[in-house]
Amino acid sequence: MSKALHLILTFLLPFAAGANESQEDRKQRQIQSPEIRGEVLYIQGRIDSHIYDFISRGATDLKGVKTVELNSLGGNSTWSLEIARKIRALGVKTRISAGNVCASACVVIFSAGMGREAGRGTWLGIHGARQGAGYVVRFNDICFSNSGEEATFAPDNAGCREFLEEWHGAAMKLTVDSFRLMESHGVLPTLRETYLGMAEDPNWYQEGNVLRKADWILPAEDAISFGLVTELTDR
């Protein structure tokens, strides 16, 4: 596998190693999500513009919704902010049921609930914005040297440090914007402070994670202390 492809794949599914779900299952979730069943809006699979479109155009159908059920490894950070604002305006609660997870862009949406339920044993995946595969491809082109079949990280390549500074600034801005939005929903600033205060991941470049922080798997039981989860349930 080429270094570029590896980095793009790790960007798209940074928490994939923690999910027991086949590619076919993910495709099926994408087809069915979002959907409304009774008083529940289900959002599953990749977070992107199709969810925003559904919520924006379904005002009549959404009138009876009281809960947004989430099960997602994340997706587009920018769209997650807009979707979260729509969810907040609905005045509903959000939920991660037992057996489901919520990571990356999904966490921003989860934070928008007026109440935020999580089943015991579930987890939330926290990490900063990756800023899109376009940055990752440029990273591969500018900051790696190829010797035969091996690609070696070469930060002293011409233009690499300047590019990393640009990428870091863009990713940090979107990351802070995401945390600030969550804080406006009642999540404590200590969540942001803890993540940004994490030690640098020495292998950050292997996953194209320009903020250089390891992905943080936060058990629902611990998320209570950050105000991210407001209620633990057995379901």
Side-chain angles (χ1 to χ4, degrees):
M1 180 186 295
S2 72
K3 189 68 177 181
L5 179 57
H6 170 73
L7 289 174
I8 290 170
L9 289 175
T10 54
F11 158 74
L12 290 175
L13 288 174
F15 290 96
N20 296 316
E21 185 177 40
S22 71
Q23 184 177 8
E24 188 59 37
D25 287 340
R26 286 194 291 272
K27 287 180 180 178
Q28 189 65 23
R29 289 187 186 280
Q30 182 76 11
I31 292 170
Q32 296 178 345
S33 173
E35 64 173 337
I36 298 171
R37 298 202 299 269
E39 297 179 341
V40 181
L41 167 62
Y42 291 87
I43 296 177
Q44 306 179 83
R46 181 164 172 78
I47 305 299
D48 58 27
S49 61
H50 79 284
I51 297 170
Y52 178 84
D53 291 342
F54 180 91
I55 297 172
S56 297
R57 298 169 185 170
T60 300
D61 294 335
L62 290 166
K63 285 182 179 179
V65 168
K66 295 183 179 179
T67 303
V68 177
E69 175 75 48
L70 294 157
N71 186 19
S72 171
L73 291 172
N76 187 288
S77 298
T78 301
W79 279 113
S80 73
L81 296 175
E82 300 305 323
I83 295 165
R85 292 185 178 103
K86 289 288 187 182
I87 296 296
R88 189 67 174 184
L90 292 175
V92 298
K93 66 181 179 182
T94 50
R95 184 172 66 209
I96 311 167
S97 292
N100 293 347
V101 299
C102 182
S104 187
C106 177
V107 177
V108 179
I109 298 172
F110 176 70
S111 79
M114 303 302 290
R116 298 180 287 276
E117 298 180 5
R120 300 179 193 278
T122 61
W123 54 267
L124 299 98
I126 312 292
H127 73 71
R130 296 293 205 261
Q131 275 299 94
Y135 274 100
V136 177
V137 171
R138 288 173 61 196
F139 180 47
N140 179 75
D141 290 342
I142 297 172
C143 297
F144 283 83
S145 296
N146 290 288
S147 176
E149 295 183 357
E150 295 293 326
T152 304
F153 180 49
D156 292 327
N157 279 1
C160 177
R161 294 189 186 280
E162 293 80 3
F163 165 71
L164 289 178
E165 184 176 349
E166 171 199 339
W167 187 14
H168 184 276
M172 180 61 77
K173 181 182 185 306
L174 184 51
T175 297
V176 171
D177 286 347
S178 298
F179 277 114
R180 294 291 191 195
L181 183 63
M182 290 194 288
E183 289 163 22
S184 76
H185 299 152
V187 177
L188 298 178
T190 49
L191 184 72
R192 166 174 48 89
E193 293 162 1
T194 301
Y195 172 72
L196 294 179
M198 291 172 65
E200 181 172 306
D201 178 5
N203 299 315
W204 66 270
Y205 56 88
Q206 295 179 358
E207 296 185 359
N209 184 0
V210 71
L211 295 186
R212 307 186 182 194
K213 309 293 183 183
D215 294 341
W216 179 15
I217 295 178
L218 180 65
E221 290 81 356
D222 295 339
I224 287 272
S225 65
F226 295 102
L228 181 54
V229 170
T230 60
E231 181 182 357
L232 285 173
T233 70
D234 292 321
R235 58 178 178 178

